[in-house]
Amino acid sequence: QLQLVESGGGLVQPGGSTKLSCAASGSAFDYSAIGWFRQAPGKEREGISCVDTTGKSTSWADSVTGKFFISRDNRNKMVNLHMNNLTPEDSAVYSCAAAPIRSCPTRPYEMPYWGKGTLVTVSS
C-alpha cells in the first residue's frame, strides 16, 4: 500500500526556481523507486527522473538534465524535485509515481502508484 501527494506547484517567473515535494505514506515506500513525470497540454506524458531506495538518481529526460534534481528523504518519506532555470516550456502538471522495485530503470517505467499531480505554470 502506498499513497502519494504532490505539493509545491504554482506560478513561477521565467528563470526562477521552485521545489516540488512528493509525500508518501504506507509501508511500501522503503522498497519502492519514485519517479517524477510531467504532462503539458497537447503533449505526451514524459518521465523526468527517478530515485531508488538508496537515494541514487537516474535521469530520464535529456531536456532537463542539469537543471532538475531529484532527492529522497527516507526518514520523512519524502521525494523532492528541485527545478531551476525554468522556462515557459516547463509548464505542465507534474506527478510523482512509485513502483515496488529497489532500483530505477534506465528508461521511464509504468508505475502502479500515482499522485494526483500539481500544476506548475512558468510565466511572467
Side-chain angles (χ1 to χ4, degrees), residues 30-92:
D30 290 341
Y31 53 86
S32 295
I34 310 293
W36 279 99
F37 298 76
R38 69 180 181 183
Q39 186 169 26
K43 296 187 180 295
E44 297 287 335
R45 175 180 289 142
E46 64 175 337
I48 299 171
S49 62
C50 177
V51 62
D52 70 12
T53 57
T54 71
K56 180 181 178 181
S57 63
T58 299
S59 295
W60 285 335
D62 292 339
S63 62
V64 299
T65 299
K67 73 171 188 175
F68 286 10
F69 303 92
I70 193 169
S71 64
R72 180 173 182 135
D73 181 351
N74 286 333
R75 179 179 177 84
N76 294 304
K77 295 186 177 181
M78 185 79 67
V79 174
N80 298 318
L81 183 67
H82 307 265
M83 308 166 67
N84 304 304
N85 302 315
L86 290 165
T87 70
E89 289 70 35
D90 293 317
S91 297

